[in-house]
Structure formats: C-alpha cells, structure tokens
C-alpha cells in the first residue's frame, strides 16, 4: 500500500511518502441444523471465526522533520457465535432472518509505535479497541422473483446492544441469471 502525504508549511508544500503491506488471514467454521417444512426452513447454528491482521513497518523516504516511521504491528481476533435462522418460500416471495449472539474473545487494544524518521525518539498510540461486550448480529431480508431468472432483493444487517461499534448495512439489488 503506497501512502503519500502533502504537508502545508504555509509558504510551501512538503510531500512525504512511503509504502507498507497488510496481510489479513481469516478462517471461519459454522455448523447448524435445519428443520425443513413445506415452505419454511429454520434451525440453530454456531460458529467460530479466527482473524489475524499484520501491518508491516512503514518509513517515509526523506530525512526531513516531517517524515514519519511506524513499527510493524498485528491484531488477532477470535469470535464465537450462537444463533437461530429462518427462511421461507411463499410463491415468488422468499424472506429470511438470521440472529446471532456474538462474542469477541480476544479484545486487547492494538498499540502502534512510531516517530519521526530522522530521530530515534518514538511515541506509542493506542489504536483500535474491540468491544469487550458481546452483541447481537441480525441479518434479515427478502427476495422476490419477477420472472424466470430475474430476482430483486433487499436485506439489512446490523449490530445491537453494542455501544462501542456501530455496523448497519442495507443491500438492494437485482439479479439476472443466464
């Protein structure tokens, strides 16, 4: 990832730049059981998700007073979830809902150490703080079949009971299969 900064020094602009790389590894496992009826399916599920994020060190190329450097850092996340799901098929209308209790099991704050590239002094900044509270993740929506191979859909996904993180998503779309 290339980063360029323009620093306004009132009479001139200084440009600093550098590059770093980011690696994100993720794995998830979910198991569940589905009870099937004529037009509905529902059942419990449980899952785990493991994430590891690594950010390589970053140094801007010049030795000016505005050039910065940051040490490498990483973040690990381990989440577990337990929930219930429902889906239906009522003619051309297909609603669904999934609700899960999610718990972040590794909620240490990420700390980043940095400083100016020209000097050895450094500082540390507290970065991302994951919530130490569990939350409810809700995903609900529906699709509607307009004709053979042509569907429309809408869905909402959000988190509740978590005062540190807000995550709301709405998806709307159409799908044409050939």
């Amino acid at each position: 990832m290339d980063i360029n900064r323009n620093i306004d020094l009132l009479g001139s602009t200084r440009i600093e730049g550098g590059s770093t790389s980011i690696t994100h590894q993720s794995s998830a496992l979910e198991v569940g059981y589905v009870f099937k009826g004529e037009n509905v399916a529902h059942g419990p599920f449980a899952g785990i998700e493991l994430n590891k994020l690594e950010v390589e060190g970053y140094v801007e190329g010049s030795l000016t007073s505005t050039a910065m450097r940051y040490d490498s850092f990483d973040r690990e996340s381990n989440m577990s979830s337990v929930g219930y799901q429902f889906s239906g098929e009522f003619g051309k209308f297909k609603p669904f809902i999934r609700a899960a209790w999610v718990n972040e099991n590794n909620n240490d704050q990420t700390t980043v150490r940095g400083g100016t590239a020209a000097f050895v002094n450094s500082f540390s900044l507290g970065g991302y703080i994951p919530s130490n509270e569990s939350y409810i993740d809700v995903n609900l929506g529906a699709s509607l079949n307009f004709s053979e191979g042509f569907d429309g859909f809408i869905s909402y996904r959000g988190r509740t009971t978590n005062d540190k993180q807000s995550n709301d998503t709405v998806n709307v779309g159409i799908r044409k299969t050939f």
Side-chain angles (χ1 to χ4, degrees):
M1 172 191 315
D2 294 328
I3 300 170
N4 292 302
R5 300 185 305 129
N6 296 321
I7 302 140
D8 184 7
L9 299 174
L10 298 178
S12 65
T13 300
R14 184 175 290 165
I15 300 171
E16 300 287 2
S19 65
T20 186
S21 63
I22 301 169
T23 304
H24 181 199
Q25 299 170 343
S26 179
S27 57
L29 173 67
E30 186 175 279
V31 296
Y33 189 80
V34 176
F35 301 99
K36 291 185 178 183
E38 186 176 325
N39 295 332
V40 299
H42 62 94
F45 63 91
I48 58 171
E49 182 177 330
L50 309 172
N51 290 285
K52 182 170 184 167
L53 178 76
E54 297 175 321
V55 179
E56 295 299 318
Y58 170 79
V59 178
E60 293 177 330
S62 72
L63 294 178
T64 62
S65 61
T66 55
M68 301 296 294
R69 65 173 164 74
Y70 296 94
D71 294 346
S72 298
F73 65 94
D74 63 3
R75 159 106 174 92
E76 292 185 8
S77 170
N78 307 312
M79 295 185 292
S80 56
S81 62
V82 176
Y84 205 83
Q85 59 192 343
F86 166 85
S87 64
E89 187 170 343
F90 306 103
K92 296 182 176 195
F93 180 66
K94 300 175 185 175
F96 69 89
I97 185 167
R98 283 175 58 96
W101 171 82
V102 180
N103 187 46
E104 170 73 57
N105 302 308
N106 187 358
N107 54 6
D108 298 331
Q109 181 178 20
T110 301
T111 301
V112 179
R113 192 173 78 179
T116 59
F119 302 106
V120 295
N121 295 340
S122 64
F123 56 87
S124 293
L125 295 173
Y128 176 71
I129 303 172
S131 176
N132 61 358
E133 302 172 11
S134 56
Y135 58 90
I136 303 297
D137 184 44
V138 176
N139 189 358
L140 61 100
S143 67
L144 183 64
N145 179 261
F146 299 119
S147 64
E148 184 68 34
F150 185 56
D151 298 349
F153 60 89
I154 185 168
S155 68
Y156 165 79
R157 183 173 185 179
R159 292 180 177 169
T160 63
T161 68
N162 185 329
D163 61 352
K164 291 188 180 181
Q165 299 177 18
S166 178
N167 186 351
D168 295 290
T169 306
V170 174
N171 289 306
V172 178
I174 55 172
R175 177 177 37 241
K176 174 68 177 153
T177 56
F178 300 96

